[in-house]
């Protein structure tokens, strides 16, 4: 299958080409031109790895079976793979947090790193992989690529925009092919810096002189998105296998949304025939997506990014919305909308276009007060502790007006957000996550062992940069490698 540029379908790449070199001269994103319609009932007997192999096959992705098999072995290091917790008659939580960095990003990034490294070795090429993170993509990318041949990773994160545990997961990573920079600014600044570098021909030329090609690990890379389709399919099939629903019965999915990659995976699964009634997009106070899905207006003119208790969702420009626009409205309309957003910071869907969008999606938001309340109520009602992002989706579940089964996508361990967890459970404000973990431990609430170990590791990466100096500092680091 050839992937097409969302803004110019004449620009095409194979899957492996787009994975290695995801940038496009138009600024668009390589996307599926179409996806096959499947009867997923035929996959009920498959385990998770077999399901992944089957979906790569039906999508006709040009990855050698041996390389894919090697990449999928990474799931053997997970403590569990996308299990479902049944909380009430129609409510299920899909836990995507059992990988090495305790966040859903591991589900895609663990195999992704092996794929990219193996392909680079085949081609005898070296890749510089850029990562901009709001908190979870960075640690997951670093954990995936650590010490992998032919790959070098530069990760930048908002220096004051992540939790302590997220920051430590990046700052303490010790591998010769990894470098981490904090930046002064928010995630949108980090992501904008990444996109500027991808389009900077001068920067690419300098890298080429040093023997590097340029790639990214963010979900603007279609290689990430493919792995995010799989767990949505798996979740539905698991419910059928456990007789929670019969095949063909629709369900709703609620996704705490930031850059829209997780939700896009669910959308592609729906397009391929998975019986999803609606995909619920949940925002925090930065509720651009809620407004867009309800009104058709994507407007960031008067908005400034708000810091919330769900920091991975603190985003105003959700990159993967572009792929959705392409799938629903085509390349010309996508180009018009993206240019309007870049130039005027607003675009508006036509009424018929909004109807198409709302056929697949509904939207909700959750402010900080409701987030804390959701953490407490979930713990009191079910004895189940969730992170603040998952809490926003559980808050949205209370607003659903349907009796259909619902899967809430759980995106991270509560232990990565201990201050917010403590505040939600006990109304106690702490000075930092370390103190919050200590207080929670006195109540019998203890984090996973890997979090305890993380608190005692030395920091290796402590630099904080202005965004304008990121490119030059990358070059300085690469000269040493």
């Amino acid at each position: 299958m050839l992937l097409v540029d969302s803004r110019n379908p004449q620009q095409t790449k194979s899957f492996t080409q787009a994975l290695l070199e995801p940038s496009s001269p138009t600024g668009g994103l390589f996307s599926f031109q179409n996806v096959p319609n499947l009867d997923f009932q035929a996959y009920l007997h498959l385990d998770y790895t077999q399901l992944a192999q089957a979906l790569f096959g039906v999508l006709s992705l040009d990855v050698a079976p041996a390389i894919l098999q090697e990449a999928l072995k990474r799931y053997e290091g997970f403590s569990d793979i996308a299990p479902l917790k049944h909380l009430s008659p129609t409510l299920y939580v899909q836990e995507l947090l059992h990988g090495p960095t305790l966040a859903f990003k591991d589900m895609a990034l663990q195999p992704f790193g092996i794929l990219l490294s193996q392909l680079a070795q085949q081609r005898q090429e070296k890749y510089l992989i850029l990562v901009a993170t709001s908190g979870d993509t960075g640690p997951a990318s670093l954990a995936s690529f650590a010490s992998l041949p032919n790959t070098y990773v530069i990760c930048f994160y908002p220096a004051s925009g992540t939790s302590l545990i997220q920051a430590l997961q990046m700052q303490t990573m010790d591998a010769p092919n990894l470098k981490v920079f904090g930046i002064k600014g928010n995630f949108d600044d980090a992501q904008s810096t990444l996109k500027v570098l991808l389009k900077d021909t001068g920067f690419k030329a300098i890298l080429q002189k040093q023997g590097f090609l340029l790639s990214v690990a963010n979900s603007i890379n279609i290689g990430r998105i493919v792995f995010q389709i799989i767990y949505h399919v798996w979740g539905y099939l698991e419910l059928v296998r456990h007789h929670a629903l019969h095949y063909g019965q629709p369900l709703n999915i609620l996704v705490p949304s930031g850059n829209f990659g997780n939700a896009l995976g669910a959308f592609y699964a729906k397009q391929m025939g998975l019986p999803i009634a609606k995909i619920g997009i949940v925002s925090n106070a930065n509720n651009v997506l809620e407004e867009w899905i309800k009104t058709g207006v994507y407007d960031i003119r008067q908005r400034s990014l708000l810091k919330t208790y769900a920091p991975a969702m603190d985003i105003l420009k959700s990159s993967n919305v572009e792929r959705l626009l392409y799938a629903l409205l085509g390349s010309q309309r996508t180009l018009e909308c993206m240019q309007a957003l870049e130039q005027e910071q607003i675009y508006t869907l036509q009424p018929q276009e909004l109807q198409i969008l709302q056929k697949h999606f509904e939207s909700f938001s959750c402010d900080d007060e409701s987030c804390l309340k959701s953490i407490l109520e979930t713990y009191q009602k079910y004895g189940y502790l969730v992170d603040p992002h998952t809490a926003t989706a559980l808050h949205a579940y209370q607003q659903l007006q349907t009796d259909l089964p619902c899967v809430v996508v759980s995106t991270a361990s509560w232990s990565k957000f201990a201050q917010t967890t403590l505040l939600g459970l006990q109304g106690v404000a702490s000075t930092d996550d370390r103190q919050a973990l200590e207080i929670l431990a006195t109540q019998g609430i203890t984090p996973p062992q890997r979090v305890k170990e993380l608190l005692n590791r030395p920091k290796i990466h402590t630099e904080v940069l202005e965004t304008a100096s990121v490119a030059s500092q990358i070059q300085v680091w690469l000269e040493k490698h």
Side-chain angles (χ1 to χ4, degrees):
M1 177 186 290
L2 285 178
L3 302 175
V4 299
D5 183 335
S6 55
R7 304 185 190 186
N8 178 8
Q10 303 308 310
Q11 293 274 351
T12 63
K13 287 185 178 181
S14 71
F15 174 73
T16 55
Q17 288 173 326
L19 184 148
L20 289 168
E21 300 177 57
S23 62
S24 163
T26 69
L29 301 179
F30 284 98
S31 307
F32 295 116
Q33 191 163 24
N34 49 59
V35 292
N37 192 268
L38 304 176
D39 178 5
F40 286 105
Q41 194 166 7
Y43 302 132
L44 279 166
H45 65 288
L46 302 180
D47 64 22
Y48 196 90
T49 295
Q50 291 167 336
L51 176 63
Q53 291 169 323
L55 292 180
F56 266 71
V58 296
L59 288 169
S60 301
L61 304 179
D62 59 327
V63 178
I67 292 179
L68 179 59
Q69 187 173 8
E70 186 67 24
L72 295 173
K73 285 181 182 177
R74 280 286 184 90
Y75 289 128
E76 295 173 5
F78 285 50
S79 59
D80 206 343
I81 303 179
L84 289 158
K85 299 292 184 183
H86 190 189
L87 297 189
S88 74
T90 59
L91 174 59
Y92 300 83
V93 175
Q94 186 178 32
E95 296 181 344
L96 304 178
L97 48 87
H98 295 286
T101 69
L102 305 173
F104 81 101
K105 303 299 175 71
D106 292 324
M107 296 295 298
L109 278 164
Q110 276 292 299
F112 174 85
I114 296 291
L115 278 190
L116 199 153
S117 175
Q118 293 273 349
L119 292 169
Q121 290 175 73
Q122 269 192 353
R123 297 171 177 231
Q124 297 183 316
E125 295 170 338
K126 290 193 304 182
Y127 280 85
L128 174 66
I129 298 141
L130 299 181
V131 184
T133 185
S134 57
D136 284 329
T137 297
S141 299
L142 296 167
S144 178
F145 283 100
S147 300
L148 288 184
N150 296 56
T151 66
Y152 297 80
V153 178
I154 300 282
C155 174
F156 31 102
Y157 68 97
S160 58
T162 70
S163 74
L164 171 67
I165 299 303
Q166 289 173 318
L168 287 175
Q169 285 181 321
M170 293 180 278
Q171 294 164 349
T172 63
M173 281 299 299
D174 187 10
N177 65 328
L178 307 179
K179 184 62 183 173
V180 180
F181 295 113
I183 65 160
K184 297 176 182 179
N186 56 42
F187 173 71
D188 281 339
D189 298 319
Q191 182 161 253
S192 295
T193 301
L194 183 149
K195 289 181 177 179
V196 167
L197 292 175
L198 285 177
K199 291 190 284 188
D200 187 336
T201 54
F203 178 69
K204 287 182 180 179
I206 291 169
L207 291 183
Q208 197 165 14
K209 284 181 182 178
Q210 294 177 301
F212 291 94
L213 294 167
L214 187 60
S215 191
V216 297
N218 284 70
S219 60
I220 60 175
N221 192 314
I222 192 69
R224 282 270 309 274
I225 302 300
V226 172
F227 287 107
Q228 293 183 272
I229 298 171
I230 300 163
Y231 54 71
H232 291 296
V233 176
W234 176 258
Y236 184 91
L237 296 180
E238 277 286 270
L239 291 177
V240 174
R241 282 189 286 259
H242 289 87
H243 309 290
L245 46 75
H246 57 81
Y247 187 83
Q249 181 181 351
L251 55 66
N252 290 310
I253 294 178
L254 283 171
V255 184
S257 296
N259 223 16
F260 209 76
N262 202 346
L264 185 69
F267 170 75
Y268 282 143
K270 187 175 191 288
Q271 291 292 88
M272 292 170 72
L274 198 70
I276 300 171
K278 285 285 184 75
I279 302 163
I281 302 302
V282 187
S283 303
N284 56 22
N286 299 290
N287 62 333
V288 180
L289 290 173
E290 181 196 30
E291 181 179 272
W292 177 62
I293 291 169
K294 280 185 164 68
T295 69
V297 181
Y298 202 112
D299 185 1
I300 58 174
R301 291 173 300 176
Q302 305 300 320
R303 285 184 179 267
S304 57
L305 197 72
L306 304 173
K307 286 188 176 183
T308 75
Y309 292 142
M313 299 158 65
D314 290 349
I315 296 173
L316 296 179
K317 293 182 180 179
S318 298
S319 293
N320 279 295
V321 165
E322 177 162 349
R323 286 190 170 111
L324 177 65
L325 286 174
Y326 172 74
L328 295 179
L329 307 179
S331 58
Q332 182 58 40
R333 189 68 177 111
T334 300
L335 176 62
E336 292 169 2
C337 291
M338 290 298 98
Q339 287 182 336
L341 186 64
E342 290 163 6
Q343 296 167 10
E344 302 166 26
Q345 296 194 302
I346 182 175
Y347 67 83
T348 303
L349 300 182
Q350 300 300 319
Q352 67 272 23
E353 295 171 337
L354 179 58
Q355 286 182 354
I356 295 170
L357 176 66
Q358 291 176 342
K359 178 182 176 183
H360 301 283
F361 293 91
E362 56 190 336
S363 61
F364 309 88
S365 64
C366 177
D367 60 23
D368 276 351
E369 182 181 354
S370 298
C371 174
L372 295 178
K373 184 180 178 183
S374 179
I375 291 171
L376 178 61
E377 289 182 348
T378 303
Y379 191 66
Q380 289 178 332
K381 191 171 183 179
Y382 305 114
Y384 186 65
L385 192 52
V386 296
D387 78 288
H389 307 83
T390 307
T392 67
L394 288 166
H395 170 75
Y397 173 76
Q398 303 300 326
Q399 303 169 53
L400 282 180
Q401 298 181 350
T402 176
D403 294 326
L404 291 177
C406 179
V407 172
V408 164
V409 178
S410 181
T411 56
S413 166
W414 67 268
S415 61
K416 300 184 79 167
F417 309 95
Q419 277 183 274
T420 305
T421 301
L422 179 63
L423 190 60
L425 292 181
Q426 300 180 18
V428 175
S430 61
T431 56
D432 62 27
D433 284 336
R434 192 183 300 267
Q435 183 192 55
L437 285 168
E438 291 171 356
I439 296 171
L440 288 166
T442 65
Q443 310 298 314
I445 300 172
T446 58
Q449 182 62 30
R450 65 186 65 181
V451 171
K452 297 177 185 177
E453 295 169 355
L454 182 67
L455 293 168
N456 296 315
R457 284 188 204 149
K459 293 182 183 179
I460 296 169
H461 309 280
T462 57
E463 297 96 325
V464 177
L465 308 175
E466 299 284 353
T467 55
S469 65
V470 168
S472 62
Q473 289 303 306
I474 289 174
Q475 292 167 36
V476 169
W477 183 74
L478 287 177
E479 285 170 1
K480 301 174 184 177
H481 294 78

